[in-house]
Amino acid sequence: MAFSSISGNPASGLTDRSGSFFKLIDTFASEIGELKKEMVQTSPTMDKKPVELQGLENEVSGVYLQSHHCGGVGGERDSGYDSLRRRMSVLDRLSQTHPVWLLLAVSEERADSILLKQPPGVFLVRKSAALQRKVLSVRLKDAQSGTFISHFPVRESQYTFSLEGSGISFADLFRLVAFYCISRDVLPFTIKLPEAIASAKTQKELEEVAQLGEGFWDSALCSQRRTSPRPCRPLSRTLSPQRTNRNREVGGSQQSHNTYCDSAPPTLRSHAHPPSFHLEQRHSSGPLCFVNPLFLQTHHHPHDCEDNPLAHADNPKNNDSLENAGKSSVQLLSSSEGSKHTDTIKLNGKSRPPPPRPPPPRSMPRRRPAPPPPGPPAATTRPKSMPEAVAVAARPQHSTSRRSAPTRPPMGAKHSSLAKRASSPIPVPSNAPPPRPKKPDLEAHRCHIALDDETIAKALSRAKLPSCEPPAVVPADMLLQNNAGTSSSPNERGRQRLSDMSMSTSSSDSLEYSQSPGFSLGLPPSPPGHLNQDPVEDSSEEDDDGDEDEEEDYGVGLETDLEMRLRPSFKSRRRKVGVSLSGGSFILPRALKGRFRKVSGMLSSLMTPERRAVKRIAELSRDKSSYFGSLVHDYISFVQENRGCHTSGVDFLQTLRQFMTQMKAYLRQSSELDPPIESLIPEDQIDQVLEKAMHKCVLKPLKSMIEVALHDFQVSSGAWQQLRENLALAKTKRPHELGVDGAVPPDSVAIEKIRHKFLNMRKMYSPEKKVSLLLRVCKLIYTIMQDNSGRMYGADDFLPMLTYVVAQCDMPQLDTEIQYMMELLDPSLLQGEGGYYLTSAYGAMALIKNFQEEQAARVLSSEARNTLHQWHRRRTAQRSVPSVDDFQNYLRVALQEVDTGCTAKTLLVQPYTTTEEVCSLCAYKFKIPDPENYALFLVTEDTSQQLAPDTHPQRIKAELHSRPCTQIFHFVYRRVPNLNLCIPAIMQNGNCLQVE
Amino acid sequence: MAIRELKVCLLGDTGVGKSSIVCRFVQDHFDHNISPTIGASFLTKTVPCGNELHKFLIWDTAGQERFHSLAPMYYRGSAAAVIVYDITKLDSFQTLKKWVKELKEHGPEDIVVAIAGNKNDLGDIREVPMKEAKEFAESIAAIFIETSARNAVNVEELFQKISKQIPPLEHSEVDSNESFKLTRQPAASTRRCC
């Protein structure tokens, strides 16, 4: 059974299961192979459809739910897309009504009391206070193990959710719950949605339910609905009880089934619309697709060649075979999906309902009964619009017969090609505008390609099919037959195809993949095709992604090695894929390449939940009708309009940081995020994801404005000018003058490279990404140092070298960059490596900023602890001996008073007289009544520094005189203004006497 | 087992062997899969301590006088400070005393201070008597140990002693709260659990 195999190969930890990855990859390869073949065969399949349908009908037991709408026209079957919109998958239902069942705050007692009133299978997800974990609380069948309610803990590992004890893990809670609606896995039986939710026919109904939230359980809606739909079920149950449950809950479509069932005689329906039926199946089984877990399918048909893992259903007309096929396909799907997008999944899902653990249910038909589209008109319209759908419809018939392994073209190619072929044989107009899948669909499509290109090539080569040729219909068939040991009926293939489709659809994210492959295959860019289906969303996403990509390029994770390593690989993979795909001919050679990339593809798909969550938050932030959205919006516009209200850059950045932190806290607690983030992201990742989202929501729109504001602050405070001067001065210094001792500094080429990295850093809005770029710079510096010596360098060597590099780069903007990172970086990262090197960069910049001061006299700011003599000793060691004149024992000191201007006196001051002594002398000479408020300052053209009491003015004077170009300077005795060190006002008076 | 991240700051004159000690500590371990780092001035190592794992985040500082004023940025938020001196250089011991004073005045509260007299393989040219250093350490309730990074003497022990002195985690603290604290009072961050 699919099941056992599934549980056997849990996909929980990506990294640790490389073995299973490879298997997976093989599976992919074979699937792809099949797809390819299917594509070829599509047309024949179509012909056979009718037959198969009948077989299906028999199996299905007419009860199941054909919609009368579908009308007899074979060609017109519902493409699935329209119906998708109308009929909601389990996943849709779950995600729309989570306020009802996702009650994290509810106590166990309350959960028990809610569930007690419910029929068996009804469930809640809550957070157990005792376990400090989420649990799935399920109403048991009466008298089961002495209790009526059981609580199954949910395990959250790095990127996934799973039930304790199960090997199957999911990208988020919704998928998990959806899966358990269909398959019990570790549960005693499948869980069920409350009737009102399972049977809701419209979004609106779901919304109503959702609005009640927890109150739903006590509402009339809850109790009332419970009974209504029942009539249908009994029938299904007889066939296979397990399935029935599933059917109900699973399919959004089911709701429709139920309704229809009641109204129309089952038999009629099924007969009337076999094709639609298939479609429906897809829909209903949708949830299966969600299954994240990477598991492998165990079933192998004896006939199947390696390439065709799917093929094992021998009998087209046999329910079991169908089911098997379905299962197998399911497994494949699941495996393929790293993290799926729901919508996509739905399409696929129908074909593969997961087999219930218990004896395989015979009632294939049940699950698949195609629920007629809720709206009568829908049925007719759909088929035309969807090329894909058509193809799908065709497939089901084939499915039973066999699963030869047709090689598959990459995703994009697949779809388009399929659509084409399908359309031609079938009356359905292929030209009709392709229905638009929801966004997730698209994303899903993309990812697969990434996985596949190589596999495809492999599969192709195995099958000995020309890889890029769009096979002519007939030849394709031939191929198929050859390849498939069994004489596969077209129907079977169709089936497999479904699975294939799902596979392709299921995965994750990058646009690039999907598109390039499609073209590479030489398939006509399919206007009707999948890829083009929703250009709008496509493009928007691309924007989004593009932006992200840009930043991702540099590797995001500060602390997460995994991330660090993965991202670059993604990027490179993408590029390669793009290139290789450009021509079909390249594909084969690629087959030789290792599997590694595929594996990373899998990993990448796993990353998507995070991305999805971020995206969702970003969307919410743009929704001004939400509280969060309005807060963000208001804040952003406030900031933009009120730059002036901050006193400094740091102040400004701190308020930003505070706002982001508060918003994160808000998001964690509020119910506005729909679905709640806890259901999408494992607990320990939430903060990280929120942080990322806040960067996107707040910093991204404000980035340029922040830059300008920070710069303005710098300019207005004079810091900018001074920084530039100091940088220019520092740039002239040789490494040893900046404290570098021994290590070899980077040459000009390396400096240029570093500069370039810094420039890139400036483009990032995310402080984390900036820091990761900074880390690259540091790494580079280290590499250079070590290459030249082979020894390990600590901070004693690194910090001076970094200072030197920063000076050489001569980028005054770096200062605000560092400020930006220091203030905005997620505080939890400040202790790590990123924090360390950021601190070092800050330190290097601070040294440069104070460079002149240091030279002038190392004065004396309370922070600069170096005493003058130490500085002197160092300085004099390097320079020629000061001239005798400098040591003359006179010092001219000006007294500056606010009202009277300056008066100057020449005082007798010995070289070792301290500033403190000079001050008391001045107080005496100038007759200052309150000398404690006065101090001695060294004033140069644009600086003014208070001298520390223990410094020696004569020595400072000597030092200044010993400089190559002597600056004008004065010793000024004046009132200390609020301990402010720098008083430009002095200079403006212009009255100061010049010493000497 | 819970992992606690502990920031440890290394202080001391240039040339006393600060980074050698850390390199020795980090590399000597049996697991050679040290996570790739940018360079030797920031290194991490995880060691078991009781029922916790202590992940040391070791921040090296530049010992030259001119960088002295940057030190507060490095030691703020540290759970422990290792002040290293060179037993063959009396000067470095004087510098150590200044660091002790500074930490007492400006350092995080409850910071664990460890004094390491490095280069004890060069006993014949020793300038700082062990007794004197030990007494000084006792007077300020600091950990004291003489090490030799070159010969890998007492390096593990140094960090083990530090580990033992780190107060156990209070379980009431939640991660998210911690990160808030980080912003406001970096000193508290060391008690953060991850």
Side-chain angles (χ1 to χ4, degrees):
Chain A
M1 266 291 92
F3 236 144
S4 53
S5 64
I6 290 173
S7 48
N9 305 322
S12 49
L14 291 179
T15 35
D16 43 354
R17 322 223 158 167
S18 51
S20 51
F21 279 142
F22 294 140
K23 283 191 202 164
L24 250 190
I25 288 159
D26 280 337
T27 316
F28 289 149
S30 51
E31 271 234 321
I32 288 159
E34 287 186 4
L35 221 200
K36 190 73 186 215
K37 291 183 182 176
E38 286 176 7
M39 289 177 49
V40 178
Q41 294 181 345
T42 325
S43 57
T45 322
M46 309 297 282
D47 301 339
K48 299 193 179 180
K49 272 188 192 175
V51 179
E52 280 220 347
L53 287 176
Q54 290 213 346
L56 286 177
E57 292 167 13
N58 296 337
E59 298 169 0
V60 173
S61 80
V63 181
Y64 290 68
L65 347 164
Q66 279 285 325
S67 63
H68 19 308
H69 310 295
C70 291
V73 188
E76 301 220 352
R77 48 213 94 107
D78 156 309
S79 66
Y81 280 103
D82 284 324
S83 57
L84 263 185
R85 279 203 211 124
R86 277 166 224 219
R87 307 168 188 168
M88 294 154 285
S89 71
V90 176
L91 194 56
D92 281 342
R93 286 164 197 273
L94 282 169
S95 37
Q96 282 175 40
T97 60
H98 65 79
V100 170
W101 59 267
L102 185 57
L103 300 172
L104 293 177
V106 143
S107 68
E108 181 167 346
E109 294 71 35
R110 168 73 179 139
D112 287 356
S113 77
I114 287 174
L115 292 177
L116 264 182
K117 290 178 276 178
Q118 300 298 320
V122 172
F123 65 93
L124 287 179
V125 174
R126 61 186 183 84
K127 183 150 180 179
S128 158
L131 298 176
Q132 279 300 306
R133 297 161 82 178
K134 295 179 188 105
V135 295
L136 176 66
S137 301
V138 181
R139 172 71 153 91
L140 300 177
K141 285 170 186 151
D142 300 329
Q144 213 160 352
S145 64
T147 170
F148 291 102
I149 284 129
S150 194
H151 307 281
F152 303 91
V154 174
R155 195 177 51 207
E156 301 179 26
S157 69
Q158 230 190 343
Y159 296 108
T160 58
F161 296 82
S162 59
L163 278 194
E164 193 67 55
S166 166
I168 311 177
S169 50
F170 303 84
D172 60 43
L173 264 188
F174 298 105
R175 286 168 166 78
L176 182 145
V177 171
F179 177 80
Y180 287 101
C181 283
I182 301 159
S183 168
R184 46 167 272 223
D185 187 25
V186 296
L187 299 180
F189 47 83
T190 57
I191 55 177
K192 323 195 303 192
L193 288 171
E195 198 55 50
I197 295 175
S199 64
K201 289 168 207 152
T202 62
Q203 297 271 351
K204 205 171 171 202
E205 285 181 48
L206 286 181
E207 278 162 26
E208 281 167 11
V209 170
Q211 280 197 345
L212 295 173
E214 186 187 335
F216 164 81
W217 301 101
D218 304 319
S219 70
L221 201 54
C222 179
S223 43
Q224 168 190 14
R225 290 259 182 149
R226 216 184 291 161
T227 38
S228 60
R230 296 241 159 161
C232 306
R233 288 179 200 162
L235 287 177
S236 58
R237 277 183 195 164
T238 49
L239 288 180
S240 70
Q242 296 270 356
R243 294 260 165 132
T244 332
N245 288 340
R246 247 185 268 144
N247 287 338
R248 265 195 250 147
E249 279 139 23
V250 171
S253 47
Q254 287 182 350
Q255 72 188 44
S256 49
H257 299 218
N258 293 339
T259 24
Y260 285 106
C261 291
D262 294 343
S263 57
T267 42
L268 285 182
R269 294 171 205 153
S270 60
H271 281 287
H273 313 282
S276 58
F277 166 154
H278 282 292
L279 291 178
E280 287 265 353
Q281 287 178 351
R282 291 204 254 146
H283 301 299
S284 60
S285 55
L288 295 177
C289 305
F290 316 143
V291 180
N292 226 343
L294 315 169
F295 35 112
L296 303 178
Q297 99 183 77
T298 42
H299 291 283
H300 287 277
H301 191 74
H303 296 288
D304 300 343
C305 48
E306 275 194 12
D307 298 356
N308 312 332
L310 291 184
H312 69 300
D314 300 337
N315 211 339
K317 312 216 169 175
N318 194 334
N319 293 344
D320 287 353
S321 63
L322 269 183
E323 280 218 334
N324 291 339
K327 294 171 192 173
S328 60
S329 60
V330 171
Q331 293 170 349
L332 287 177
L333 284 180
S334 56
S335 62
S336 64
E337 308 170 348
S339 59
K340 310 336 165 59
H341 297 276
T342 357
D343 307 30
T344 357
I345 293 162
K346 294 172 200 164
L347 289 178
N348 310 326
K350 297 289 172 159
S351 54
R352 23 197 130 146
R357 268 228 182 134
R362 298 243 145 174
S363 56
M364 248 281 306
R366 303 231 151 188
R367 313 186 200 153
R368 321 223 161 146
T380 33
T381 36
R382 290 173 204 163
K384 304 181 181 178
S385 59
M386 289 301 299
E388 260 216 356
V390 175
V392 173
R395 299 173 196 165
Q397 302 161 356
H398 304 284
S399 61
T400 24
S401 59
R402 80 168 250 261
R403 23 295 265 326
S404 59
T407 46
R408 293 180 187 175
M411 303 299 315
K414 255 193 260 167
H415 295 295
S416 57
S417 63
L418 281 180
K420 273 211 158 186
R421 270 177 215 134
S423 61
S424 57
I426 297 183
V428 180
S430 57
N431 297 337
R436 296 167 127 230
K438 295 180 182 181
K439 272 195 185 177
D441 250 18
L442 252 191
E443 287 188 355
H445 291 299
R446 293 172 204 159
C447 55
H448 274 290
I449 296 168
L451 295 177
D452 302 1
D453 46 338
E454 287 160 21
T455 347
I456 291 166
K458 237 185 256 165
L460 286 179
S461 57
R462 280 190 208 154
K464 307 198 175 168
L465 285 179
S467 60
C468 27
E469 278 186 22
V473 174
V474 178
D477 280 340
M478 309 249 316
L479 283 175
L480 264 183
Q481 290 186 352
N482 291 339
N483 290 336
T486 51
S487 63
S488 57
S489 69
N491 293 340
E492 262 223 313
R493 284 176 215 154
R495 264 259 151 160
Q496 293 167 2
R497 261 201 156 186
L498 279 183
S499 62
D500 295 341
M501 296 269 314
S502 58
M503 213 196 124
S504 58
T505 28
S506 57
S507 64
S508 58
D509 32 85
S510 69
L511 269 182
E512 293 119 290
Y513 298 131
S514 58
Q515 293 181 343
S516 48
F519 293 105
S520 67
L521 289 182
L523 298 176
S526 52
H530 230 113
L531 296 177
N532 301 335
Q533 283 174 356
D534 54 359
V536 175
E537 288 181 14
D538 230 340
S539 62
S540 71
E541 277 207 7
E542 228 168 2
D543 287 345
D544 243 354
D545 286 350
D547 147 301
E548 246 157 50
D549 286 347
E550 179 200 354
E551 300 212 337
E552 266 165 26
D553 218 355
Y554 304 99
V556 176
L558 280 185
E559 315 279 41
T560 353
D561 285 345
L562 178 63
E563 253 193 313
M564 278 269 233
R565 288 181 204 136
L566 283 181
R567 305 248 170 154
S569 71
F570 291 162
K571 190 79 182 189
S572 59
R573 182 170 37 106
R574 285 181 193 170
R575 285 190 194 129
K576 285 179 201 158
V577 172
V579 174
S580 63
L581 289 181
S582 59
S585 54
F586 292 123
I587 289 181
L588 281 177
R590 298 199 74 219
L592 301 176
K593 295 189 184 167
R595 293 164 162 177
F596 183 77
R597 256 191 283 159
K598 288 171 211 154
V599 173
S600 70
M602 297 296 306
L603 292 179
S604 78
S605 64
L606 281 183
M607 303 288 229
T608 51
E610 167 185 307
R611 228 193 223 196
R612 261 189 303 152
V614 169
K615 195 174 258 180
R616 222 164 272 194
I617 294 170
E619 282 161 10
L620 185 63
S621 77
R622 289 189 288 267
D623 174 10
K624 287 177 208 158
S625 64
S626 71
Y627 184 63
F628 174 70
S630 63
L631 278 178
V632 170
H633 177 259
D634 290 352
Y635 183 74
I636 288 177
S637 45
F638 173 82
V639 167
Q640 283 168 338
E641 290 158 19
N642 299 279
R643 270 187 227 169
C645 69
H646 298 287
T647 56
S648 70
V650 170
D651 178 39
F652 175 44
L653 292 173
Q654 279 173 352
T655 60
L656 277 173
R657 177 67 251 176
Q658 201 178 12
F659 176 74
M660 291 196 294
T661 304
Q662 286 166 348
M663 286 298 96
K664 276 164 69 177
Y666 171 75
L667 282 177
R668 277 201 89 131
Q669 288 156 20
S670 85
S671 56
E672 257 190 343
L673 201 53
D674 180 22
I677 193 154
E678 292 95 329
S679 65
L680 296 176
I681 305 291
E683 297 271 351
D684 56 344
Q685 312 269 311
I686 290 180
D687 190 69
Q688 212 171 296
V689 171
L690 289 178
E691 179 71 21
K692 205 171 170 187
M694 292 317 300
H695 294 164
K696 194 161 190 171
C697 300
V698 178
L699 296 184
K700 193 179 174 191
L702 286 175
K703 177 181 179 276
S704 55
M705 183 258 147
I706 294 171
E707 271 175 9
V708 172
L710 291 182
H711 181 71
D712 289 351
F713 279 124
Q714 268 190 320
V715 170
S716 64
S717 69
W720 175 255
Q721 182 61 23
Q722 191 182 343
L723 176 60
R724 279 182 46 175
E725 289 168 8
N726 278 340
L727 264 175
L729 179 63
K731 195 180 179 182
T732 64
K733 300 297 171 189
R734 277 164 299 161
H736 73 268
E737 292 177 277
L738 293 170
V740 174
D741 181 19
V744 177
D747 58 17
S748 59
V749 176
I751 293 287
E752 200 41 52
K753 199 168 164 188
I754 289 169
R755 247 181 85 87
H756 183 70
K757 284 187 193 293
F758 278 140
L759 286 173
N760 279 333
M761 183 171 86
R762 273 178 64 75
K763 295 177 191 157
M764 307 291 134
Y765 65 83
S766 154
E768 292 182 41
K769 288 175 184 168
K770 281 178 190 285
V771 170
S772 70
L773 267 181
L774 174 67
L775 287 183
R776 289 197 186 188
V777 170
C778 293
K779 179 81 185 171
L780 187 61
I781 295 172
Y782 260 112
T783 309
I784 292 168
M785 289 166 70
Q786 276 160 11
D787 278 357
N788 287 316
S789 77
R791 62 171 269 228
M792 295 280 276
Y793 288 100
D796 283 348
D797 297 290
F798 177 74
L799 190 54
M801 188 64 84
L802 180 64
T803 309
Y804 171 75
V805 168
V806 168
Q808 289 301 307
C809 284
D810 194 16
M811 295 173 65
Q813 313 92 311
L814 264 186
D815 188 40
T816 52
E817 284 300 298
I818 291 167
Q819 220 175 28
Y820 186 100
M821 292 184 269
M822 290 285 277
E823 299 300 333
L824 297 181
L825 189 67
D826 184 344
S828 66
L829 297 180
L830 282 176
Q831 284 201 52
E833 196 159 40
Y836 177 83
Y837 288 100
L838 181 55
T839 301
S840 297
Y842 180 89
M845 195 50 106
L847 289 175
I848 292 173
K849 276 196 222 173
N850 295 313
F851 195 64
Q852 278 196 345
E853 265 176 63
E854 180 189 344
Q855 288 215 320
R858 186 126 263 252
V859 188
L860 328 178
S861 73
S862 55
E863 271 155 327
R865 286 150 224 248
N866 292 345
T867 64
L868 189 60
H869 0 354
Q870 283 163 333
W871 175 78
H872 244 258
R873 194 173 51 197
R874 188 168 61 246
R875 303 293 308 186
T876 48
Q878 292 170 4
R879 289 171 175 262
S880 54
V881 183
S883 67
V884 183
D885 287 352
D886 297 327
F887 288 99
Q888 55 187 312
N889 295 341
Y890 293 97
L891 187 72
R892 192 157 173 90
V893 177
L895 169 71
Q896 186 191 30
E897 292 283 34
V898 180
D899 34 276
T900 61
C902 289
T903 46
K905 286 187 190 299
T906 300
L907 309 174
L908 180 63
V909 175
Q910 301 296 331
Y912 293 103
T913 307
T914 63
T915 298
E916 193 172 10
E917 291 159 344
V918 174
C919 281
S920 55
L921 188 61
C922 289
Y924 173 75
K925 293 279 184 185
F926 292 115
K927 301 192 171 55
I928 299 302
D930 52 344
E932 65 277 8
N933 292 329
Y934 282 72
L936 188 64
F937 290 77
L938 174 69
V939 176
T940 61
E941 270 176 315
D942 49 13
T943 64
S944 166
Q945 296 152 340
Q946 182 177 351
L947 302 185
D950 63 343
T951 54
H952 305 266
Q954 283 292 19
R955 296 199 143 222
I956 294 173
K957 191 178 86 175
E959 161 60 19
L960 291 174
H961 276 295
S962 70
R963 289 187 184 179
C965 68
T966 308
Q967 263 184 306
I968 295 171
F969 61 92
H970 325 271
F971 288 94
V972 176
Y973 183 68
R974 61 176 164 80
R975 197 172 277 277
V976 179
N978 299 328
L979 299 176
N980 200 350
L981 291 185
C982 183
I983 302 161
I986 271 189
M987 298 315 303
Q988 286 152 19
N989 280 337
N991 296 333
C992 297
L993 297 179
Q994 190 174 329
V995 183
E996 259 111 34
Chain B
M1 234 189 300
I3 294 188
R4 284 175 71 185
E5 291 188 351
L6 301 171
K7 178 173 167 182
V8 177
C9 175
L10 278 181
L11 299 168
D13 258 355
T14 177
V16 296
K18 294 187 297 291
S19 33
S20 311
I21 289 180
V22 182
C23 287
R24 175 61 74 186
F25 173 58
V26 171
Q27 290 172 348
D28 250 11
H29 211 48
F30 31 84
D31 91 68
H32 284 276
N33 301 328
I34 300 160
S35 65
T37 49
I38 304 296
S41 51
F42 175 88
L43 293 171
T44 66
K45 176 161 169 175
T46 305
V47 296
C49 175
N51 55 0
E52 293 177 336
L53 287 177
H54 285 173
K55 180 177 183 185
F56 289 110
L57 310 173
I58 304 167
W59 289 47
D60 193 7
T61 61
Q64 296 95 323
E65 195 61 42
R66 68 160 70 206
F67 300 113
H68 193 141
S69 58
L70 302 177
M73 305 187 54
Y74 289 83
Y75 62 67
R76 82 175 171 190
S78 291
V82 178
I83 313 176
V84 185
Y85 71 96
D86 179 348
I87 65 161
T88 68
K89 285 185 185 149
L90 190 54
D91 271 1
S92 69
F93 190 66
Q94 301 309 323
T95 311
L96 174 141
K97 289 181 175 172
K98 278 197 247 166
W99 283 119
V100 169
K101 181 160 174 273
E102 172 160 351
L103 283 178
K104 293 287 174 206
E105 288 169 6
H106 306 288
E109 272 177 50
D110 300 331
I111 189 170
V112 173
V113 175
I115 292 176
N118 195 29
K119 305 193 186 175
N120 91 334
D121 47 305
L122 302 177
D124 25 339
I125 51 170
R126 170 193 292 272
E127 286 184 10
V128 183
M130 184 158 164
K131 184 161 176 281
E132 182 187 339
K134 195 168 184 180
E135 281 170 2
F136 174 73
E138 278 167 6
S139 73
I140 58 162
I143 295 167
F144 173 76
I145 196 165
E146 280 197 358
T147 59
S148 166
R150 180 192 288 168
N151 297 343
V153 173
N154 281 344
V155 174
E156 288 283 335
E157 290 76 2
L158 168 65
F159 285 90
Q160 277 168 9
K161 287 184 175 205
I162 293 172
S163 247
K164 282 183 203 147
Q165 289 224 353
I166 300 288
L169 202 61
E170 313 106 60
H171 282 279
S172 57
E173 283 185 322
V174 185
D175 215 17
S176 59
N177 293 341
E178 277 303 321
S179 52
F180 280 93
K181 278 187 191 167
L182 269 178
T183 11
R184 288 172 204 153
Q185 42 182 115
S189 64
T190 52
R191 303 283 123 77
R192 181 166 164 268
C193 90
C194 296

